[in-house]
Amino acid sequence: MNEAVAVESTEPPAPAAVVTEPPAPAAPAAALPGIRARLALAVVPLLSLGVLGVVPSLVLALRRGTRGDWLAAVAFTAVTVGWWFQVGLTPEGTRGAQFALDVLLLFGSTVGAAVHCLVVRSSKTAVEAR
């Protein structure tokens, strides 16, 4: 029969060695889509007349995930939703300030979104330019 014998010692047990693992490598930032993909994304708000103006900036934000991309996506979402409400609440024969606001929101959600998609720089280029 096997019997275990416990040996008691007067010395305190040695502290356990703390094993530290090397930090996990940071996930590489997703690259900016190529020019053909950005051209295709820039056409989306133009063809939809601003209704899908948020799509290019949202795709960039989901792909790269930088703070600037998310701020742009939030800004274009606000412009697009504002334009939707303006269209829904504006009477047909509108003139003056209401018409100017409608045109400004339409311009921002179509041309602004397309231009943003085309001129956005990669994170490396933005850091080097500073």
Side-chain angles (χ1 to χ4, degrees):
M1 290 206 194
N2 291 336
E3 293 183 21
V5 177
V7 178
E8 292 185 20
S9 173
T10 58
E11 297 177 14
V18 177
V19 177
T20 58
E21 295 180 18
L32 190 62
I35 191 67
R36 289 183 185 174
R38 286 189 292 157
L39 280 171
L41 282 173
V43 170
V44 170
L46 297 174
L47 292 179
S48 68
L49 295 177
V51 174
L52 299 175
V54 70
V55 170
S57 57
L58 189 59
V59 168
L60 289 174
L62 288 171
R63 183 174 168 106
R64 296 192 325 164
T66 64
R67 185 183 313 155
D69 292 332
W70 282 109
L71 289 174
V74 167
F76 283 113
T77 300
V79 168
T80 302
V81 170
W83 180 69
W84 291 343
F85 276 106
Q86 182 71 10
V87 166
L89 300 175
T90 304
E92 281 187 38
T94 302
R95 291 181 173 33
Q98 267 190 326
F99 180 74
L101 180 62
D102 192 26
V103 169
L104 181 66
L105 289 171
L106 176 65
F107 184 78
S109 65
T110 54
V111 177
V115 169
H116 167 259
C117 185
L118 292 175
V119 300
V120 68
R121 296 186 295 178
S122 68
S123 301
K124 291 179 184 179
T125 307
V127 169
E128 291 172 1
R130 290 183 189 170

mmCIF file of all heavy atoms in Angstrom, residues 23-51:
data_model
loop_
_atom_site.group_PDB
_atom_site.id
_atom_site.type_symbol
_atom_site.label_atom_id
_atom_site.label_comp_id
_atom_site.label_asym_id
_atom_site.label_seq_id
_atom_site.Cartn_x
_atom_site.Cartn_y
_atom_site.Cartn_z
ATOM 1 N N PRO A 23 2.919 40.881 -23.566
ATOM 2 C CA PRO A 23 1.655 41.448 -24.038
ATOM 3 C C PRO A 23 1.320 40.931 -25.435
ATOM 4 O O PRO A 23 2.196 40.702 -26.263
ATOM 5 C CB PRO A 23 1.911 42.956 -24.055
ATOM 6 C CG PRO A 23 3.400 43.091 -24.072
ATOM 7 C CD PRO A 23 3.953 41.875 -23.395
ATOM 8 N N ALA A 24 0.045 40.739 -25.631
ATOM 9 C CA ALA A 24 -0.412 40.270 -26.940
ATOM 10 C C ALA A 24 -0.150 41.358 -27.969
ATOM 11 O O ALA A 24 -0.284 42.547 -27.682
ATOM 12 C CB ALA A 24 -1.902 39.947 -26.888
ATOM 13 N N PRO A 25 0.254 40.988 -29.153
ATOM 14 C CA PRO A 25 0.501 41.999 -30.176
ATOM 15 C C PRO A 25 -0.796 42.728 -30.512
ATOM 16 O O PRO A 25 -1.873 42.142 -30.536
ATOM 17 C CB PRO A 25 1.031 41.210 -31.372
ATOM 18 C CG PRO A 25 0.593 39.804 -31.138
ATOM 19 C CD PRO A 25 0.469 39.636 -29.647
ATOM 20 N N ALA A 26 -0.662 44.024 -30.723
ATOM 21 C CA ALA A 26 -1.840 44.824 -31.062
ATOM 22 C C ALA A 26 -2.375 44.384 -32.415
ATOM 23 O O ALA A 26 -1.623 44.040 -33.324
ATOM 24 C CB ALA A 26 -1.476 46.304 -31.102
ATOM 25 N N ALA A 27 -3.676 44.413 -32.505
ATOM 26 C CA ALA A 27 -4.304 44.047 -33.775
ATOM 27 C C ALA A 27 -3.932 45.100 -34.813
ATOM 28 O O ALA A 27 -4.012 46.298 -34.545
ATOM 29 C CB ALA A 27 -5.814 43.983 -33.614
ATOM 30 N N PRO A 28 -3.496 44.680 -35.965
ATOM 31 C CA PRO A 28 -3.112 45.661 -36.976
ATOM 32 C C PRO A 28 -4.332 46.450 -37.436
ATOM 33 O O PRO A 28 -5.429 45.915 -37.575
ATOM 34 C CB PRO A 28 -2.551 44.810 -38.116
ATOM 35 C CG PRO A 28 -3.138 43.455 -37.911
ATOM 36 C CD PRO A 28 -3.374 43.311 -36.433
ATOM 37 N N ALA A 29 -4.115 47.745 -37.588
ATOM 38 C CA ALA A 29 -5.211 48.593 -38.050
ATOM 39 C C ALA A 29 -5.560 48.220 -39.485
ATOM 40 O O ALA A 29 -4.698 47.972 -40.318
ATOM 41 C CB ALA A 29 -4.805 50.057 -37.985
ATOM 42 N N ALA A 30 -6.831 48.161 -39.747
ATOM 43 C CA ALA A 30 -7.272 47.826 -41.097
ATOM 44 C C ALA A 30 -6.865 48.952 -42.033
ATOM 45 O O ALA A 30 -6.933 50.121 -41.691
ATOM 46 C CB ALA A 30 -8.773 47.617 -41.124
ATOM 47 N N ALA A 31 -6.439 48.576 -43.165
ATOM 48 C CA ALA A 31 -5.978 49.555 -44.134
ATOM 49 C C ALA A 31 -7.155 50.270 -44.769
ATOM 50 O O ALA A 31 -8.288 49.798 -44.756
ATOM 51 C CB ALA A 31 -5.152 48.860 -45.208
ATOM 52 N N LEU A 32 -6.853 51.406 -45.295
ATOM 53 C CA LEU A 32 -7.838 52.174 -46.032
ATOM 54 C C LEU A 32 -8.182 51.404 -47.300
ATOM 55 O O LEU A 32 -7.296 50.849 -47.950
ATOM 56 C CB LEU A 32 -7.242 53.533 -46.382
ATOM 57 C CG LEU A 32 -8.149 54.594 -46.950
ATOM 58 C CD1 LEU A 32 -9.223 54.960 -45.945
ATOM 59 C CD2 LEU A 32 -7.347 55.823 -47.299
ATOM 60 N N PRO A 33 -9.461 51.336 -47.668
ATOM 61 C CA PRO A 33 -9.807 50.633 -48.903
ATOM 62 C C PRO A 33 -9.107 51.271 -50.099
ATOM 63 O O PRO A 33 -8.777 52.458 -50.085
ATOM 64 C CB PRO A 33 -11.321 50.801 -49.007
ATOM 65 C CG PRO A 33 -11.784 51.171 -47.655
ATOM 66 C CD PRO A 33 -10.636 51.846 -46.979
ATOM 67 N N GLY A 34 -8.902 50.485 -51.123
ATOM 68 C CA GLY A 34 -8.246 50.992 -52.326
ATOM 69 C C GLY A 34 -9.091 52.045 -53.028
ATOM 70 O O GLY A 34 -10.252 52.278 -52.695
ATOM 71 N N ILE A 35 -8.502 52.688 -54.005
ATOM 72 C CA ILE A 35 -9.181 53.793 -54.689
ATOM 73 C C ILE A 35 -10.430 53.315 -55.418
ATOM 74 O O ILE A 35 -11.438 54.019 -55.454
ATOM 75 C CB ILE A 35 -8.221 54.552 -55.629
ATOM 76 C CG1 ILE A 35 -8.862 55.849 -56.134
ATOM 77 C CG2 ILE A 35 -7.801 53.680 -56.785
ATOM 78 C CD1 ILE A 35 -9.082 56.872 -55.075
ATOM 79 N N ARG A 36 -10.406 52.107 -55.968
ATOM 80 C CA ARG A 36 -11.605 51.597 -56.658
ATOM 81 C C ARG A 36 -12.747 51.377 -55.676
ATOM 82 O O ARG A 36 -13.899 51.713 -55.967
ATOM 83 C CB ARG A 36 -11.298 50.308 -57.391
ATOM 84 C CG ARG A 36 -10.430 50.507 -58.600
ATOM 85 C CD ARG A 36 -10.219 49.216 -59.343
ATOM 86 N NE ARG A 36 -9.278 49.424 -60.436
ATOM 87 C CZ ARG A 36 -8.808 48.472 -61.182
ATOM 88 N NH1 ARG A 36 -9.175 47.221 -60.966
ATOM 89 N NH2 ARG A 36 -7.958 48.738 -62.145
ATOM 90 N N ALA A 37 -12.442 50.831 -54.521
ATOM 91 C CA ALA A 37 -13.478 50.616 -53.505
ATOM 92 C C ALA A 37 -14.010 51.945 -52.995
ATOM 93 O O ALA A 37 -15.220 52.111 -52.786
ATOM 94 C CB ALA A 37 -12.924 49.789 -52.352
ATOM 95 N N ARG A 38 -13.107 52.925 -52.816
ATOM 96 C CA ARG A 38 -13.566 54.241 -52.360
ATOM 97 C C ARG A 38 -14.395 54.952 -53.423
ATOM 98 O O ARG A 38 -15.339 55.659 -53.110
ATOM 99 C CB ARG A 38 -12.378 55.092 -51.928
ATOM 100 C CG ARG A 38 -11.827 54.608 -50.590
ATOM 101 C CD ARG A 38 -10.815 55.547 -50.028
ATOM 102 N NE ARG A 38 -9.625 55.529 -50.858
ATOM 103 C CZ ARG A 38 -8.752 56.520 -50.917
ATOM 104 N NH1 ARG A 38 -8.924 57.600 -50.215
ATOM 105 N NH2 ARG A 38 -7.694 56.433 -51.681
ATOM 106 N N LEU A 39 -14.042 54.771 -54.695
ATOM 107 C CA LEU A 39 -14.863 55.346 -55.766
ATOM 108 C C LEU A 39 -16.257 54.720 -55.769
ATOM 109 O O LEU A 39 -17.260 55.423 -55.928
ATOM 110 C CB LEU A 39 -14.199 55.133 -57.127
ATOM 111 C CG LEU A 39 -13.072 56.095 -57.487
ATOM 112 C CD1 LEU A 39 -12.364 55.637 -58.752
ATOM 113 C CD2 LEU A 39 -13.607 57.495 -57.652
ATOM 114 N N ALA A 40 -16.309 53.412 -55.582
ATOM 115 C CA ALA A 40 -17.617 52.741 -55.528
ATOM 116 C C ALA A 40 -18.425 53.228 -54.324
ATOM 117 O O ALA A 40 -19.636 53.449 -54.428
ATOM 118 C CB ALA A 40 -17.421 51.230 -55.463
ATOM 119 N N LEU A 41 -17.756 53.409 -53.199
ATOM 120 C CA LEU A 41 -18.458 53.925 -52.018
ATOM 121 C C LEU A 41 -18.906 55.372 -52.215
ATOM 122 O O LEU A 41 -19.968 55.776 -51.739
ATOM 123 C CB LEU A 41 -17.552 53.843 -50.782
ATOM 124 C CG LEU A 41 -17.397 52.485 -50.140
ATOM 125 C CD1 LEU A 41 -16.339 52.529 -49.049
ATOM 126 C CD2 LEU A 41 -18.716 52.018 -49.568
ATOM 127 N N ALA A 42 -18.095 56.161 -52.916
ATOM 128 C CA ALA A 42 -18.441 57.572 -53.135
ATOM 129 C C ALA A 42 -19.641 57.722 -54.061
ATOM 130 O O ALA A 42 -20.367 58.723 -53.994
ATOM 131 C CB ALA A 42 -17.243 58.316 -53.711
ATOM 132 N N VAL A 43 -19.879 56.744 -54.915
ATOM 133 C CA VAL A 43 -21.005 56.815 -55.846
ATOM 134 C C VAL A 43 -22.340 56.543 -55.134
ATOM 135 O O VAL A 43 -23.384 57.032 -55.563
ATOM 136 C CB VAL A 43 -20.773 55.817 -57.016
ATOM 137 C CG1 VAL A 43 -21.989 55.652 -57.881
ATOM 138 C CG2 VAL A 43 -19.587 56.277 -57.840
ATOM 139 N N VAL A 44 -22.294 55.811 -54.017
ATOM 140 C CA VAL A 44 -23.528 55.432 -53.316
ATOM 141 C C VAL A 44 -24.372 56.643 -52.921
ATOM 142 O O VAL A 44 -25.560 56.700 -53.247
ATOM 143 C CB VAL A 44 -23.210 54.527 -52.098
ATOM 144 C CG1 VAL A 44 -24.433 54.318 -51.229
ATOM 145 C CG2 VAL A 44 -22.658 53.210 -52.565
ATOM 146 N N PRO A 45 -23.831 57.655 -52.228
ATOM 147 C CA PRO A 45 -24.691 58.791 -51.881
ATOM 148 C C PRO A 45 -25.122 59.609 -53.101
ATOM 149 O O PRO A 45 -26.199 60.209 -53.097
ATOM 150 C CB PRO A 45 -23.843 59.631 -50.929
ATOM 151 C CG PRO A 45 -22.464 59.175 -51.086
ATOM 152 C CD PRO A 45 -22.510 57.787 -51.621
ATOM 153 N N LEU A 46 -24.302 59.617 -54.145
ATOM 154 C CA LEU A 46 -24.681 60.376 -55.335
ATOM 155 C C LEU A 46 -25.850 59.718 -56.065
ATOM 156 O O LEU A 46 -26.773 60.404 -56.517
ATOM 157 C CB LEU A 46 -23.479 60.520 -56.276
ATOM 158 C CG LEU A 46 -22.294 61.315 -55.709
ATOM 159 C CD1 LEU A 46 -21.117 61.251 -56.669
ATOM 160 C CD2 LEU A 46 -22.695 62.742 -55.413
ATOM 161 N N LEU A 47 -25.808 58.391 -56.177
ATOM 162 C CA LEU A 47 -26.889 57.688 -56.869
ATOM 163 C C LEU A 47 -28.181 57.667 -56.053
ATOM 164 O O LEU A 47 -29.272 57.620 -56.622
ATOM 165 C CB LEU A 47 -26.460 56.256 -57.210
ATOM 166 C CG LEU A 47 -25.365 56.114 -58.257
ATOM 167 C CD1 LEU A 47 -25.023 54.643 -58.471
ATOM 168 C CD2 LEU A 47 -25.779 56.764 -59.570
ATOM 169 N N SER A 48 -28.053 57.695 -54.737
ATOM 170 C CA SER A 48 -29.251 57.657 -53.891
ATOM 171 C C SER A 48 -29.728 59.062 -53.518
ATOM 172 O O SER A 48 -30.658 59.197 -52.725
ATOM 173 C CB SER A 48 -28.967 56.860 -52.622
ATOM 174 O OG SER A 48 -28.045 57.554 -51.798
ATOM 175 N N LEU A 49 -29.094 60.090 -54.076
ATOM 176 C CA LEU A 49 -29.426 61.488 -53.785
ATOM 177 C C LEU A 49 -29.402 61.786 -52.280
ATOM 178 O O LEU A 49 -30.246 62.464 -51.735
ATOM 179 C CB LEU A 49 -30.782 61.873 -54.377
ATOM 180 C CG LEU A 49 -30.842 61.859 -55.898
ATOM 181 C CD1 LEU A 49 -32.243 62.191 -56.370
ATOM 182 C CD2 LEU A 49 -29.837 62.823 -56.492
ATOM 183 N N GLY A 50 -28.413 61.250 -51.610
ATOM 184 C CA GLY A 50 -28.203 61.552 -50.202
ATOM 185 C C GLY A 50 -28.915 60.647 -49.223
ATOM 186 O O GLY A 50 -28.657 60.720 -48.027
ATOM 187 N N VAL A 51 -29.828 59.832 -49.693
ATOM 188 C CA VAL A 51 -30.567 58.969 -48.781
ATOM 189 C C VAL A 51 -29.607 57.988 -48.094
ATOM 190 O O VAL A 51 -29.748 57.698 -46.914
ATOM 191 C CB VAL A 51 -31.692 58.212 -49.520
ATOM 192 C CG1 VAL A 51 -32.367 57.222 -48.613
ATOM 193 C CG2 VAL A 51 -32.702 59.199 -50.075
#
